[in-house]
Amino acid sequence: MKFLSVISLCFFLCLCVHSVLSENAITPPRGWNSYDSFSWIISEDEYLQNAKIISDQLLSQYGYEYAVVDYLWYRDLKGNSNSRGSDTIDEWGRLHPDAKRWPSSNGWKGFKNVADKVHEMGLKFGIHLMAGISTQAYDANTPILDTKTGKAYEESGKVWHAKDIGIPERACKWMDNGFMALNVTSGAGKAFLRSLYELYISWGLDFVKLDCVFGEDLDFEEISYVSQTLKEIKPSIVFSLSPGVKATPNMAKVINGLVNTYRVTGDDWDKWSDVASHFDVARDFGAAKLIGAQGLNGKSWPDLDMLPFGWLTDPAVNQGPHRLTNLNLEERQTQMTLWCMAKSPIMYGGDLRNLDSWKKDGLIINPTLLFINANSKDNAEACEPFLLLFVRFSSITTLNDVNNIEEEEKEENEDMENVKAEVSTSGIRAWVATGNNGGQSPQGQDIYIAFFNLNNVPKTISAKIDDLAKALPGKKLIGLQGREVWSLKSITIGDVLSAQVAPHGCALFVFDY
């Protein structure tokens, strides 16, 4: 069998990404998010310009279909990322776009006109929301809308207001001046959330990113009620949670069936330390069999966060895109390869209008990586101690030696519920996955093997095939032909699979089986 052709890759990418039918997120969602390039200050024109590029250059061939407005689209530019009293709210305490940045929202029209334009481009429209209720609504003590009556919510002879449902002592940890939790168990709390989502869905919403509700801010009651509301009003909406600080596989198992994606780390920026920190997390959620597990009206995916490539801004600033990413080519290849092997949602963060910043290296449009992200299965870090590490000017070290030491240090009463895979401290990681071969034969399969070098010096990474087969049970590997994706070198597997890998770099092998 021959390698995947670009034509067959593109055909299957379109087939798998766009033929969702009645189920949500059958493959990891793919699109663009404004945060990494615009922080919170993006305007209507800037957003639509980026959406147009997605539609023209990234949709039909590469499957990028979501255009997401990230946080604080309702805040006046005179405020800041944690100001109080700078937001646009209606008489019911519901947030509306800042009309100075989003002029088509004038007259309380919301995002309806923007969403219509996005849909005309063939894309899907998404927004970021904060969990709970805004401090501005709480301070104004706005009444709660009962959408069943069109009047203020009443219960037990009382008209309910924001101060009846807001919980100031549970302010959002990273935006304590902006939002607080609400009492979702009360009828008024449910009525407030219902009024929010009925309004936002009426604008044409396809994707919800709900923040300050997972990880260390876990609010199961709000996640559950929002999930139920979305399912009732518009079942096709993709429901995403953020952020993932202190998220665990156990926590994810409680909510994965209610959502479609959920962040499993804090914010990922263009620092090598941020990229490297995702390997343990990706390993643990993969080992827990959470990749592609049951989700809201479809599947769910652990989310490693946006790709901070290209033309960016800085965290939480009042400034748009003004600099190139700090990640070098090898580091970007490593990040894109891990994200695709772990089947994370692929949300590009750079300003797409700077074409050279994303088209020149071709990472986000690499057909092999995108095919793996959408179509592979059995994705996992290879935890068997089979890798051999050849360090220049030093003796050979095996991961077997490392794991034996670690095994002796494990506590006898280790909590197996946490489902953590074996840990490598050598700075060498490997992932494996399988998949079909692009439909080139009925029984054809591909085998994907990725080596990662997290060290600051080059390493030669080798794997004995007899041991590597333990991570791919039932596969006869010797004699398989394939290629290494980044170097384009042809490979025939012998007794050992080996690659010289640059600092912070990776090697990705694709073999026909």
Side-chain angles (χ1 to χ4, degrees):
M1 289 174 283
K2 302 296 183 183
F3 305 132
L4 292 168
S5 67
V6 173
I7 293 175
S8 64
L9 274 169
C10 293
F11 172 78
F12 272 85
L13 281 170
C14 294
L15 178 64
C16 294
V17 173
H18 293 293
S19 61
V20 176
L21 298 179
S22 61
E23 293 187 278
N24 292 347
I26 297 307
T27 59
R30 190 177 300 164
W32 176 81
N33 180 292
S34 63
Y35 179 67
D36 286 353
S37 45
F38 291 93
S39 184
W40 63 275
I41 67 168
I42 191 168
S43 69
E44 183 170 333
D45 284 345
E46 291 164 332
Y47 170 80
L48 289 174
Q49 288 163 8
N50 274 274
K52 183 69 163 57
I53 294 170
I54 302 170
S55 176
D56 290 347
Q57 303 190 42
L58 292 172
L59 173 62
S60 62
Q61 190 171 359
Y62 303 108
Y64 288 80
E65 60 179 342
Y66 292 96
V68 182
V69 183
D70 212 88
Y71 78 146
L72 301 185
W73 38 267
Y74 34 80
R75 185 153 296 175
D76 190 298
L77 288 176
K78 294 178 182 178
N80 59 55
S81 61
N82 192 26
S83 58
R84 190 173 187 132
S86 302
D87 300 339
T88 304
I89 62 171
D90 64 16
E91 62 181 310
W92 306 108
R94 301 175 301 182
L95 295 159
H96 283 253
D98 170 28
K100 294 177 183 177
R101 288 189 286 143
W102 302 88
S104 71
S105 70
N106 264 310
W108 304 104
K109 296 185 182 72
F111 278 124
K112 182 66 169 65
N113 291 329
V114 171
D116 286 347
K117 291 179 180 179
V118 169
H119 294 153
E120 289 171 3
M121 297 178 194
L123 302 176
K124 296 180 179 179
F125 176 68
I127 60 174
H128 174 287
L129 297 172
M130 295 293 294
I133 189 169
S134 73
T135 55
Q136 190 163 331
Y138 182 87
D139 291 343
N141 201 25
T142 53
I144 307 303
L145 174 64
D146 184 344
T147 59
K148 295 178 181 178
T149 66
K151 300 177 181 179
Y153 181 84
E154 293 187 41
E155 185 180 346
S156 302
K158 171 184 176 181
V159 176
W160 289 67
H161 293 76
K163 288 188 176 180
D164 296 316
I165 61 172
I167 309 175
E169 59 271 23
R170 286 181 54 199
C172 177
K173 288 184 174 63
W174 61 271
M175 199 190 296
D176 56 346
N177 285 325
F179 292 86
M180 64 183 74
L182 59 79
N183 181 3
V184 186
T185 62
S186 68
K190 290 182 174 66
F192 177 74
L193 289 177
R194 182 86 184 191
S195 73
L196 280 185
Y197 286 93
E198 285 190 12
L199 173 66
Y200 298 153
I201 289 171
S202 75
W203 294 345
L205 203 58
D206 304 297
F207 185 103
V208 170
K209 177 182 176 181
L210 184 61
D211 211 329
C212 209
V213 74
F214 189 52
E216 64 181 357
D217 296 298
L218 179 65
D219 189 334
F220 177 78
E221 286 78 14
E222 180 157 352
I223 294 170
S224 181
Y225 186 72
V226 171
S227 178
Q228 174 187 330
T229 301
L230 295 178
K231 189 172 184 178
E232 291 174 1
I233 302 175
K234 189 176 180 180
S236 62
I237 286 182
V238 167
F239 185 22
S240 174
L241 303 183
S242 183
V245 178
K246 298 182 181 178
T248 66
N250 276 346
M251 188 183 296
K253 288 178 179 179
V254 176
I255 58 87
N256 69 274
L258 302 172
V259 302
N260 301 111
T261 79
Y262 49 92
R263 282 269 301 282
V264 291
T265 67
D267 287 352
D268 171 68
W269 278 93
D270 53 327
K271 299 182 294 184
W272 170 246
S273 59
D274 282 10
V275 178
S277 69
H278 286 73
F279 278 85
D280 284 353
V281 175
R283 173 202 65 212
D284 293 344
F285 281 80
K289 306 300 182 185
L290 285 162
I291 298 174
Q294 180 65 39
L296 175 62
N297 298 323
K299 293 187 178 181
S300 62
W301 309 93
D303 182 359
L304 300 179
D305 202 9
M306 292 165 279
L307 296 170
F309 300 168
W311 199 242
L312 305 174
T313 186
D314 297 298
V317 298
N318 292 38
Q319 186 177 12
H322 60 276
R323 64 176 180 85
L324 282 172
T325 181
N326 290 313
L327 298 174
N328 64 33
L329 177 60
E330 288 77 18
E331 291 166 343
R332 298 197 303 276
Q333 288 174 340
T334 290
Q335 184 164 9
M336 186 69 177
T337 301
L338 177 64
W339 265 232
C340 290
M341 289 293 287
K343 303 198 74 169
S344 170
I346 300 296
M347 291 288 175
Y348 184 70
D351 183 359
L352 291 165
R353 299 174 302 172
N354 190 316
L355 297 178
D356 285 346
S357 67
W358 61 272
K359 294 187 79 171
K360 189 174 181 180
D361 62 31
L363 285 179
I364 68 166
I365 55 175
N366 182 290
T368 302
L369 267 292
L370 295 179
F371 188 88
I372 292 171
N373 178 255
N375 296 281
S376 59
K377 59 182 181 179
D378 306 318
N379 308 69
E381 183 175 281
C383 302
E384 293 292 334
F386 58 72
L387 293 181
L388 298 180
L389 170 62
F390 293 81
V391 185
R392 291 190 303 173
F393 312 116
S394 69
S395 60
I396 297 173
T397 302
T398 72
L399 281 190
N400 196 32
D401 298 330
V402 175
N403 289 335
N404 285 340
I405 294 171
E406 292 169 348
E407 187 67 31
E408 294 173 1
E409 296 175 347
K410 286 183 179 178
E411 295 181 4
E412 291 183 3
N413 296 324
E414 181 182 12
D415 180 11
M416 297 306 293
E417 291 293 319
N418 286 329
V419 198
K420 288 198 173 182
E422 295 182 49
V423 179
S424 166
T425 58
S426 66
I428 299 298
R429 300 295 181 97
W431 273 71
V432 296
T434 62
N436 65 48
N437 74 332
Q440 296 185 59
S441 71
Q443 304 301 321
Q445 283 192 321
D446 289 320
I447 292 175
Y448 312 113
I449 302 172
F451 291 164
F452 297 95
N453 176 18
L454 310 191
N455 298 283
N456 296 327
V457 295
K459 303 288 182 180
T460 297
I461 305 174
S462 301
K464 293 180 179 179
I465 296 308
D466 288 346
D467 290 331
L468 183 56
K470 297 175 184 177
L472 294 162
K475 308 294 184 185
K476 184 178 180 181
L477 302 180
I478 292 180
L480 292 184
Q481 295 184 334
R483 64 184 171 96
E484 198 284 311
V485 170
W486 303 119
S487 66
L488 302 179
K489 291 181 179 179
S490 297
I491 303 288
T492 300
I493 298 184
D495 293 331
V496 174
L497 178 63
S498 182
Q500 176 77 12
V501 183
H504 304 172
C506 66
L508 174 62
F509 303 96
V510 179
F511 294 103
D512 288 335
Y513 185 76

